[in-house]
Amino acid sequence: MVRLPERNGEEPRDDVPGLAALSHEVKELMRLIAATDISELHMESGQARITIKRGAHQQPPIGYAVPSSVYTPPAVLPAPDTNNPITMIGHNPVHGEVIELEAGEELVVAPMVGTFYSAPAPNEPPYVQEGDTLEPGQTVCIIEAMKMMNPIEAEVGGVITRILVQNAEPVEYGQPLMVVRAGS
């Protein structure tokens, strides 16, 4: 048993254990209790009171069954609810669809996550439109990411057959932005 001295205005004595020694004693007591089937211990010494309780994480005694209220996770996770706004974030219908390409067509894809802008400013014409001829290295749009305006250049040349995103629409990394018929 750990005994703490009563301090009714007395000066500390040399024979009284310090806080470090008491801490060591309590830890040792907890270790000893853990080796038994005691679930709770109350100790009092003067004004000091110590209560040690064994947690709910203890193993059941031999011969006892584990309660049936223990949660067991499912073997297969359920499919996400596509109508839930949280699971819809980042799932643009255009991005989720398979883009059918004809012979000679290639995609211009978003190299980063951000907001797609078709023009350099709100009152200016778009960089490109469907039917425009595109040269490799030509700017096709801007993607704003973290308040930085990033011009996106085409890697292929040809005629733009389809623009797959709207102005000011969020885009994901790798999302198809445009379809270009190469060599036209």
Side-chain angles (χ1 to χ4, degrees), residues 2-79:
V2 177
R3 291 186 183 241
L4 299 176
E6 295 186 23
R7 301 252 177 161
N8 298 328
E10 297 178 12
E11 292 295 319
R13 300 185 335 219
D14 292 335
D15 63 334
V16 175
L19 185 59
L22 289 175
S23 175
H24 175 72
E25 293 292 328
V26 171
K27 287 179 185 176
E28 181 65 17
L29 187 58
M30 289 172 54
R31 187 186 66 76
L32 291 171
I33 290 172
T36 69
D37 62 349
I38 296 173
S39 62
E40 189 171 322
L41 174 69
H42 299 281
M43 293 181 0
E44 291 186 29
S45 178
Q47 294 180 345
R49 291 184 180 95
I50 297 175
T51 301
I52 299 174
K53 294 181 182 180
R54 290 179 67 165
H57 301 292
Q58 68 187 14
Q59 293 294 325
I62 295 174
Y64 284 88
V66 176
S68 62
S69 63
V70 174
Y71 173 74
T72 305
V76 178
L77 293 176

Side-chain angles (χ1 to χ4, degrees), residues 24-159:
H24 175 72
E25 293 292 328
V26 171
K27 287 179 185 176
E28 181 65 17
L29 187 58
M30 289 172 54
R31 187 186 66 76
L32 291 171
I33 290 172
T36 69
D37 62 349
I38 296 173
S39 62
E40 189 171 322
L41 174 69
H42 299 281
M43 293 181 0
E44 291 186 29
S45 178
Q47 294 180 345
R49 291 184 180 95
I50 297 175
T51 301
I52 299 174
K53 294 181 182 180
R54 290 179 67 165
H57 301 292
Q58 68 187 14
Q59 293 294 325
I62 295 174
Y64 284 88
V66 176
S68 62
S69 63
V70 174
Y71 173 74
T72 305
V76 178
L77 293 176
D81 179 11
T82 56
N83 294 327
N84 184 342
I86 294 172
T87 58
M88 290 176 65
I89 296 172
H91 293 283
N92 184 316
V94 173
H95 187 47
E97 294 175 2
V98 175
I99 306 299
E100 299 281 335
L101 296 178
E102 296 177 11
E105 288 186 329
E106 296 186 41
L107 292 173
V108 175
V109 297
M112 64 186 70
V113 174
T115 303
F116 172 89
Y117 292 107
S118 60
N123 298 330
E124 294 190 27
Y127 286 106
V128 293
Q129 295 179 2
E130 290 182 2
D132 286 355
T133 302
L134 187 63
E135 298 294 324
Q138 179 180 344
T139 301
V140 293
C141 66
I142 292 175
I143 295 182
E144 177 189 4
M146 298 178 65
K147 305 293 182 190
M148 297 285 296
M149 298 297 183
N150 302 285
I152 307 302
E153 298 177 352
E155 295 178 6
V156 297
V159 175

